[in-house]
Amino acid sequence: MEADGLEWLVVPMHQLVSWGAAGAMVFGGVVPYIPQYRDIKRTQNAEGFSTYVCLVLLVANILRILFWFGRHFESPLLWQSIIMIITMLLMLKLCTEVRVSNELNIKRRSFSAADSKDEEIKAPPKRSYLDFDLNYFWHWSKFTDYVQCVLTFTGVTGYITYLSLDSFLFVETLGFLAVFTEAMLGVPQLYRNYQNRSTDGMRLHRRRQLSHAAWKPYVIKDNGEPWDHSCEGELDGYPLVTPLQYSYYSYEYL
């Protein structure tokens, strides 16, 4: 009798916790990029952030959305992918504008230092996606080039997925590639840290992955969880590697 009397409280609380966990899953992965975005915009310096992180997340989340058409999974994961794609496009837009602006400012400072009246300031060479130059892949001069690349990738993979939706092996491989690609999220930032001999920009990405891994078990139901998502934690070794790199460079500059 007492249990029946508490049912009116338990059911809404359970629903509230479920909604809260789903909301944290959807927006938790995006939150760490907000201060990163604001910091880049304030300092007009994107050197500490690797745009290849955006590439990895765009590919991973596009593949995850395509996987959803072959095998439906929990809605929060689908919405998380959509919101993450929008966030990464915004990050790319800002980083591209800042980088192009800084390159032009460097040209101007070099011109002023030379104190030459006969020469004109030459804008940095424009690099386009349509140039198909692998040396400048994902290092283009306009944000529209990144959008074209993303749309091309989405169109090609979407068409292949449409033709192969009846193949169980293809769908499962697609899901695994989505998870595996996202598990490699830390590689571009680790390489950027190695190039800069600094760990600036590392901690936010580490928090993002930890929060993502922490909330996922509360959102995905055991009876509907794709095996591809269940193995993501085992593939993701970035949180273990980054503290070692942070300690190494901190010790090096003591």
Side-chain angles (χ1 to χ4, degrees):
M1 194 72 180
E2 185 178 351
D4 295 337
L6 293 176
E7 186 176 353
W8 67 272
L9 180 62
V10 173
V11 174
M13 285 296 296
H14 181 271
Q15 190 69 32
L16 185 62
V17 171
S18 177
W19 286 347
M25 185 66 192
V26 172
F27 297 103
V30 174
V31 170
Y33 290 99
I34 297 176
Q36 182 86 67
Y37 183 94
R38 295 177 62 184
D39 186 57
I40 293 174
K41 192 170 185 178
R42 177 179 57 84
T43 62
Q44 290 297 296
N45 184 359
E47 289 299 320
F49 178 76
S50 174
T51 54
Y52 285 102
V53 170
C54 299
L55 173 61
V56 170
L57 284 174
L58 284 170
V59 171
N61 285 282
I62 289 171
L63 292 178
R64 181 188 288 174
I65 292 174
L66 295 177
F67 174 68
W68 181 85
F69 287 99
R71 184 174 178 183
H72 292 303
F73 49 81
E74 294 296 322
S75 297
L77 281 174
L78 179 63
W79 282 107
Q80 181 202 51
S81 295
I82 296 172
I83 293 174
M84 184 61 73
I85 288 173
I86 296 173
T87 303
M88 289 301 102
L89 290 175
L90 291 175
M91 289 292 295
L92 273 176
K93 186 175 186 297
L94 176 64
C95 291
T96 304
E97 292 173 351
V98 169
R99 176 170 51 80
V100 172
S101 176
N102 288 343
E103 287 177 355
L104 184 58
N105 289 335
I106 291 174
K107 288 282 186 180
R108 286 174 177 170
R109 286 195 293 267
S110 300
F111 176 79
S112 299
D115 195 20
S116 174
K117 298 181 180 180
D118 298 330
E119 298 180 2
E120 295 182 357
I121 301 176
K122 294 182 180 180
K126 292 185 178 180
R127 296 178 287 269
S128 172
Y129 163 69
L130 296 178
D131 293 337
F132 300 108
D133 188 348
L134 294 179
N135 294 323
Y136 295 105
F137 176 77
W138 211 250
H139 198 72
W140 301 306
S141 302
K142 293 182 180 179
F143 172 67
T144 52
D145 292 311
Y146 293 95
V147 175
Q148 289 175 3
C149 180
V150 171
L151 290 178
T152 301
F153 175 78
T154 304
V156 172
T157 54
Y159 182 68
I160 296 173
T161 302
Y162 173 75
L163 296 177
S164 308
L165 276 179
D166 294 333
S167 172
F168 174 81
L169 180 61
F170 175 84
V171 172
E172 293 301 317
T173 301
L174 190 66
F176 175 79
L177 288 176
V179 172
F180 183 79
T181 303
E182 187 172 8
M184 296 295 104
L185 171 62
V187 174
Q189 190 62 49
L190 291 172
Y191 183 68
R192 173 58 63 90
N193 293 344
Y194 174 77
Q195 284 184 315
N196 294 343
R197 311 296 291 179
S198 170
T199 53
D200 290 342
M202 177 193 74
R203 286 168 288 180
L204 288 176
H205 301 292
R206 182 167 180 263
R207 286 205 299 270
R208 184 248 159 217
Q209 282 200 316
L210 289 176
S211 63
H212 172 82
W215 282 105
K216 181 172 286 190
Y218 295 98
V219 180
I220 304 176
K221 297 178 181 178
D222 291 337
N223 59 355
E225 175 189 2
W227 71 270
D228 310 81
H229 293 108
S230 67
C231 67
E232 182 171 0
E234 284 76 8
L235 290 173
D236 191 357
Y238 178 49
L240 301 177
V241 178
T242 48
L244 298 177
Q245 193 181 45
Y246 178 80
S247 301
Y248 174 76
Y249 288 129
S250 298
Y251 175 79
E252 185 175 296
Y253 287 98
L254 284 177

